[in-house]
Amino acid sequence: MQMKSQGMPVVSIIVPVYNVGSYLRECIESILRQSFTDFELLLIDDGSTDCSGSICDEYAEKDCRIKVFHKANGGVSSARNWGLENANGEYVIFVDSDDYLLDGALDILDENASDLTICSFETFVEEGERCVHMQNNRILSDEASLRDFYSLNLNTILLRNPWSKIFKRNLIGALRFDKKIRVGEDTVFVMKYLLNVKSCRVSDKLFYAYRVYNISFFSKYNLGISESIYILSQLLEAYDKLNVYSLDFEKWMLLDYRLMCRKELDKHPRQWYKNPIVKSIYNRIKRRMGWKFRIRYALLSMPLFIRMSNFIKDK
C-alpha cells in the first residue's frame, strides 16, 4: 500500500527507546519490512546512554518515514507521550523497543474500521519457548458485549498493556500516559481509552512478539505507600467508569500493589490499611473471599502482628 496523496500516514508507530542497543535493530527491521507501507515510525530516544540513539539516527537517514526525537530521560510514559504529541496518523500503534511486529502484522489496517483493534500475539523468552495467545475473530459493537469482554479480560495480558492493539488517534485525544505512575501506567491508559470505545474488533491475526524476562516482577519494583495508593485511585476511577465487574481485577489491584509497597508497609501499616481507597477495594472483595483470606488480611493489618512476623523472619 502506498502513501496517501496528502502525505499523511495511515498509522503512527510509536517506539519508546532507552538503552536497548541489543534489541533495537530487530524491532525497527520488523516494522520496515512490513508489506503495508503507509506508516510513520516515531523513535523516541529517552536519554539512552548506550548506542540506541545512534542506531535510531542511522535508520532515519535511510528511510524518510522514520522520525527520531532525542530527549532527556523521563521514563516510558514521557517517551510515549512525546510520540503522541508528534503523531500524524489516523491510527496509533505502540511497540516496545525490545519487542517486534510479526510479518504481515500491519496488513490488518487495510480492513480496520473499529475504535479499537486487539490482535493475537506471541510471548517468548530469549532462546526459549514461544507461547501463542490466539484470539477468536469477533466484532463487539454493543454495550453489553463490550462490558462482558472487558469483565472477562481486564485482568489478563490482553487488556493490561497498549501493545498488539490499534488505537484511533482522534479517540485518544488529550489522553496521555500518567508520568507519575511507574507500574500500571499501561493499564490505566488502556482503561481510560476504553471509555471512548463504541466498537472493538478482536482478531486472530498474529501481530506482535512480546519478550518476557526471567525476573521477578515484585523484585523489580519497590513503591512507596502513597505511590501505590495513587495508582490504585487511578485504576479504580477508570474501573468504576467502565461499569464492569471483575473479581480478579479487584484482587489484583489490592494484593499486587500491597506487595509492591511491602517494605514501607511493614513500617507504616496503618497508612495502607486505614486508607479509604484501600478499604473500599477490600470491602468489595471480602464478601466473595473465603474466611482464610479474610482472617489473614485482618492479621496483616495489625501492626503488632507485622512486628512479630518481622521479628521471626529476622531470627
Side-chain angles (χ1 to χ4, degrees):
M1 184 172 181
Q2 301 304 311
M3 298 292 287
K4 295 185 292 186
S5 59
Q6 64 267 39
M8 302 299 287
V10 169
V11 61
S12 299
I13 303 173
I14 297 173
V15 180
V17 176
Y18 180 71
N19 288 357
V20 284
S22 299
Y23 304 123
L24 185 55
R25 292 184 186 277
E26 180 180 33
C27 174
I28 296 173
E29 292 286 354
S30 76
I31 297 168
L32 296 183
R33 68 169 172 261
Q34 294 291 316
S35 54
F36 184 101
T37 61
D38 196 352
F39 63 82
E40 64 175 359
L41 173 55
L42 307 181
L43 301 173
I44 318 300
D45 173 27
D46 191 38
S48 296
T49 57
D50 67 352
C51 60
S52 297
S54 59
I55 292 175
C56 292
D57 292 335
E58 173 192 329
Y59 277 93
E61 291 178 2
K62 300 176 182 178
D63 196 314
C64 64
R65 295 171 299 176
I66 299 177
K67 300 177 183 177
V68 177
F69 302 88
H70 298 283
K71 59 182 287 295
N73 180 254
V76 65
S77 291
S78 171
R80 286 175 177 153
N81 290 344
W82 197 289
L84 287 172
E85 294 293 338
N86 290 278
N88 297 296
E90 179 181 358
Y91 298 99
V92 171
I93 292 171
F94 296 100
V95 179
D96 288 347
S97 51
D98 53 351
D99 301 335
Y100 56 88
L101 294 185
L102 296 171
D103 289 347
L106 298 185
D107 293 348
I108 196 171
L109 285 159
D110 281 325
E111 48 190 278
N112 195 68
S114 298
D115 293 341
L116 175 66
T117 298
I118 301 174
C119 299
S120 300
F121 57 93
E122 297 178 353
T123 56
F124 69 99
V125 179
E126 194 75 25
E127 303 300 329
E129 293 184 0
R130 290 179 176 269
C131 180
V132 176
H133 301 257
M134 187 65 71
Q135 306 303 314
N136 295 321
N137 277 320
R138 56 200 186 275
I139 301 290
L140 310 171
S141 56
D142 63 88
E143 188 175 333
S145 62
L146 286 168
R147 188 184 302 121
D148 288 345
F149 178 74
Y150 299 158
S151 297
L152 286 171
N153 293 285
L154 199 56
N155 197 47
T156 71
I157 194 172
L158 196 64
L159 289 179
R160 292 264 296 275
N161 59 77
W163 44 258
S164 205
K165 297 174 179 63
I166 303 172
F167 301 87
K168 279 189 173 178
R169 187 164 64 92
N170 68 318
L171 291 184
I172 292 177
L175 176 62
R176 295 294 183 267
F177 290 87
D178 192 330
K179 293 186 288 185
K180 296 190 293 294
I181 298 178
R182 288 190 290 155
V183 188
E185 76 288 343
D186 297 21
T187 306
V188 172
F189 178 89
V190 172
M191 290 176 69
K192 289 185 176 181
Y193 181 85
L194 293 179
L195 296 172
N196 300 320
V197 170
K198 297 294 187 289
S199 63
C200 176
R201 178 186 180 187
V202 184
S203 173
D204 64 0
K205 176 73 172 178
L206 272 174
F207 188 89
Y208 195 92
Y210 174 72
R211 191 182 306 271
V212 178
Y213 295 94
N214 288 318
I215 182 173
S216 168
F217 185 81
F218 297 110
S219 65
K220 183 178 179 181
Y221 295 103
N222 178 25
L223 307 182
I225 293 175
S226 59
E227 185 178 7
S228 284
I229 289 173
Y230 173 75
I231 299 170
L232 286 182
S233 72
Q234 297 304 300
L235 289 166
L236 190 61
E237 177 186 359
Y239 176 72
D240 286 341
K241 286 181 178 179
L242 278 174
N243 192 28
V244 298
Y245 166 68
S246 170
L247 175 60
D248 287 338
F249 183 77
E250 292 175 358
K251 286 170 58 180
W252 168 75
M253 283 194 291
L254 183 70
L255 301 181
D256 277 31
Y257 281 96
R258 180 193 174 278
L259 280 174
M260 281 186 273
C261 67
R262 64 194 179 281
K263 290 185 179 179
E264 187 176 351
L265 189 148
D266 288 349
K267 299 176 182 177
H268 308 287
R270 290 179 64 86
Q271 187 180 343
W272 173 266
Y273 289 102
K274 298 300 182 182
N275 181 270
I277 295 172
V278 173
K279 291 170 70 174
S280 169
I281 299 174
Y282 175 69
N283 288 333
R284 294 176 186 222
I285 70 172
K286 70 177 183 180
R287 292 185 296 275
R288 297 184 290 274
M289 303 302 295
W291 281 105
K292 286 184 178 179
F293 172 88
R294 296 168 71 171
I295 292 171
R296 181 173 178 271
Y297 195 87
L299 288 172
L300 288 172
S301 67
M302 299 177 182
L304 179 59
F305 180 83
I306 292 174
R307 287 197 293 270
M308 289 176 61
S309 298
N310 290 338
F311 176 78
I312 293 171
K313 282 190 290 186
D314 290 341
K315 291 294 184 180

